[in-house]
Amino acid sequence: PAGAPTAPPEPKAQAQRRYPVVPDDPTTTAELLAAVESALRDPATPTEQLPDLGHQQQVIYRVLSADRPRSELVLAALPERWQSVARRHLAARREFLRMSRGRGPSMLPAWRIIQPQPADQLLAHYRKAEAATGIEWEVLAAVNLVETGMGRIDGVSVANAQGPMQFLPTTWAERGIGEGDIRDPHDAIQAAARYLVRRGGLQDIRQGLWGYNNSDYYGRAVLLYASLMREDPRAYTGLYHWEIHFNADAGDLWLPVGYSQNQRISVQDHLKNNPASRSPNP
């Protein structure tokens, strides 16, 4: 369709990037996590290091969220400064694990994974929507994160939801909601804020999020991520750099920028050609 985003060329650095490894030793993991959290918030950290730092942060929390005893050992070894941050990350991830209930699927979706708009550009969209509607920018960023990895997923859901904020075309067409292009990040973020207002989000943001996705798990996870950014806006940097992972029957698969499937594909067929997608973490 006219105005549809095209997949940018795969970054040269992508081929050299590796699936992050989480150390077996809890104390070593805690030291690594503290270093990563600090670096993501440090303005002196070189920009080119942020993608790998964000991905390392993400994978640590994904691994620990699935292993509560191990996560408790890591939390106990973390400096106090990062304990609340880590607990909220783990709690948010576990809400989505509860939503998925059981064994992951054996098929990968028909998605393209594309480079998102720059972090500062997306932040400007969130802040503009907050100024226009009163819905906090942190909530909009969290919704964008959990729906499409802040625009990395270019695809249509099984329910026919589309664009970076995953709108049903029927919802987009409602008077006063969708304006412009459902697949444009700016237009979709503004529409999401208007929709959250319509569903009661100014009175109770949990109610608004229930209207967005009829799940208490979803609402709790979104608000946990939003709380991290509200407490420290620099937390946005790490979340922006999270990659697309898919919890399949073969484990946690990384789908990097450049992944492109017009039709669903079996996990096993994907792994034959893309063994680096498989997690090296037990």
Side-chain angles (χ1 to χ4, degrees):
T6 56
E10 187 173 344
K12 291 181 180 179
Q14 191 75 37
Q16 282 76 48
R17 296 183 66 193
R18 296 289 182 266
Y19 200 123
V21 174
V22 180
D24 292 332
D25 177 63
T27 300
T28 307
T29 301
E31 291 170 352
L32 174 61
L33 180 56
V36 167
E37 291 284 7
S38 297
L40 284 168
R41 289 165 171 78
D42 186 349
T45 300
T47 302
E48 62 270 19
Q49 293 181 14
L50 294 176
D52 284 338
L53 286 166
H55 197 196
Q56 180 73 72
Q57 176 198 44
Q58 177 187 19
V59 170
I60 290 173
Y61 288 129
R62 288 183 75 90
V63 169
L64 294 182
S65 66
D67 188 339
R68 194 174 291 271
R70 182 180 178 185
S71 72
E72 290 301 319
L73 293 172
V74 173
L75 287 166
L78 265 181
E80 184 176 356
R81 176 186 179 190
W82 302 118
Q83 289 186 6
S84 172
V85 168
R87 287 188 184 279
R88 278 176 281 170
H89 271 290
L90 292 171
R93 177 63 193 152
R94 285 170 180 153
E95 295 292 353
F96 288 116
L97 291 176
R98 293 185 186 100
M99 282 181 74
S100 64
R101 289 182 185 150
R103 190 173 176 84
S106 61
M107 301 291 290
L108 291 176
W111 287 345
R112 288 191 312 156
I113 309 301
I114 62 176
Q115 199 69 25
Q117 284 193 351
D120 56 352
Q121 196 170 335
L122 286 176
L123 184 57
H125 299 336
Y126 305 139
R127 290 191 181 278
K128 177 181 177 181
E130 178 182 27
T133 66
I135 299 295
E136 293 180 323
W137 76 261
E138 298 92 342
V139 171
L140 296 168
V143 170
N144 198 189
L145 171 72
V146 303
E147 291 291 346
T148 62
M150 295 188 173
R152 285 173 175 81
I153 297 174
D154 178 31
V156 178
S157 78
V158 292
N160 198 34
Q162 301 175 24
M165 299 301 269
Q166 287 291 280
F167 270 98
L168 293 172
T170 51
T171 305
W172 184 268
E174 290 180 16
R175 184 180 180 89
I177 298 298
E179 298 176 5
D181 184 351
I182 195 172
R183 298 176 69 186
D184 178 80
H186 168 272
D187 296 347
I189 290 165
Q190 310 312 305
R194 292 190 290 267
Y195 185 71
L196 287 168
V197 170
R198 179 165 296 179
R199 298 307 296 258
L202 288 179
Q203 291 74 38
D204 184 348
I205 191 57
R206 291 168 297 180
Q207 179 181 327
L209 290 167
W210 175 267
Y212 208 99
N213 186 312
N214 300 158
S215 167
D216 286 330
Y217 301 132
Y218 177 93
R220 285 194 291 265
V222 165
L223 293 179
L224 283 163
Y225 288 131
S227 76
L228 291 166
M229 291 181 279
R230 189 180 304 112
E231 179 181 271
D232 183 355
R234 294 174 298 176
Y236 170 71
T237 301
L239 296 172
Y240 171 80
H241 287 287
W242 281 15
E243 298 279 332
I244 299 303
H245 283 252
F246 190 85
N247 194 23
D249 61 351
D252 202 29
L253 305 186
W254 173 28
L255 305 181
V257 168
Y259 172 90
S260 181
Q261 290 294 333
N262 294 325
Q263 297 181 337
R264 295 199 311 153
I265 181 175
S266 76
V267 168
Q268 294 307 318
D269 285 345
H270 170 74
L271 286 173
K272 286 177 186 175
N273 297 319
N274 302 276
S277 284
R278 189 190 295 272
S279 174
N281 301 294

